[in-house]
Amino acid sequence: MSTPIIVQYTINAPAEKVWKALTDQNEMKSWYFDIQDFELKVGNKFNFYEPGGENKYHHQCEILEIIPNKKLKHTWAYPDFSDLKTTVTWELQPEDDGTLVKLTHEDIENFKDLGDGFSRENFTGGWNSILGQSLKQYLEK
């Protein structure tokens, strides 16, 4: 059993506003990724590349679970590099004037043989940047 990556931040915004930022295509591209084929429904597969236009890393995800304003769970994979998948879960917990956003990335060891770009440290740093900076700044502006 592996240890998941867990990153959490309190964001000074209501859960509904955080949820909209996580699940609305137009909002997502302001802080996360530009995901053209994202549709909030279980079974939907969506694809995107890292920002910057290099298109080195094709990300493919499939939505596994949706609990509005509370939880979004999806796979996370790189089909050009591996058949293996990991799982990302976003959980929202209302807290005083804000929302605790907890991201759990499981099975990260599935990518251990793909090189440094897929290391646990790389994902941990990336998620901290995405949640602690991008999402937080976007919603608290």
Side-chain angles (χ1 to χ4, degrees):
M1 183 79 190
S2 68
T3 306
I5 294 169
I6 297 175
V7 173
Q8 54 186 25
Y9 286 90
T10 298
I11 295 179
N12 294 321
E16 295 77 17
K17 188 173 175 186
V18 178
W19 180 256
K20 190 169 187 317
L22 287 179
T23 60
D24 180 294
Q25 273 183 345
N26 293 321
E27 290 206 29
M28 289 159 86
K29 63 182 166 195
S30 298
W31 67 272
Y32 191 43
F33 295 102
D34 186 4
I35 307 175
Q36 301 287 321
D37 56 353
F38 183 87
E39 191 179 334
L40 187 61
K41 69 177 195 190
V42 171
N44 180 63
K45 286 188 177 162
F46 56 96
N47 301 271
F48 59 95
Y49 289 90
E50 74 283 2
E54 285 186 47
N55 292 358
K56 271 174 45 179
Y57 300 104
H58 170 207
H59 301 67
Q60 187 171 71
C61 306
E62 180 178 353
I63 297 177
L64 302 173
E65 184 180 1
I66 299 165
I67 303 173
N69 300 316
K70 287 189 167 59
K71 184 177 182 182
L72 175 65
K73 183 175 185 176
H74 59 78
T75 61
W76 182 279
Y78 299 94
D80 298 345
F81 295 91
S82 171
D83 291 336
L84 297 175
K85 296 176 181 173
T86 61
T87 306
V88 172
T89 305
W90 302 80
E91 294 174 282
L92 309 183
Q93 180 71 46
E95 223 181 47
D96 298 329
D97 295 335
T99 304
L100 177 67
V101 180
K102 178 180 171 186
L103 179 135
T104 306
H105 195 162
E106 299 172 272
D107 303 319
I108 202 72
E109 73 284 350
N110 286 349
F111 297 154
K112 71 181 183 318
D113 298 329
L114 302 182
D116 290 344
F118 301 91
S119 70
R120 181 180 187 84
E121 294 71 30
N122 223 27
F123 278 104
T124 302
W127 288 126
N128 272 294
S129 175
I130 286 169
L131 258 74
Q133 293 170 9
S134 300
L135 180 63
K136 194 168 173 62
Q137 288 170 7
Y138 174 72
L139 287 168
E140 293 181 354
K141 67 180 182 224

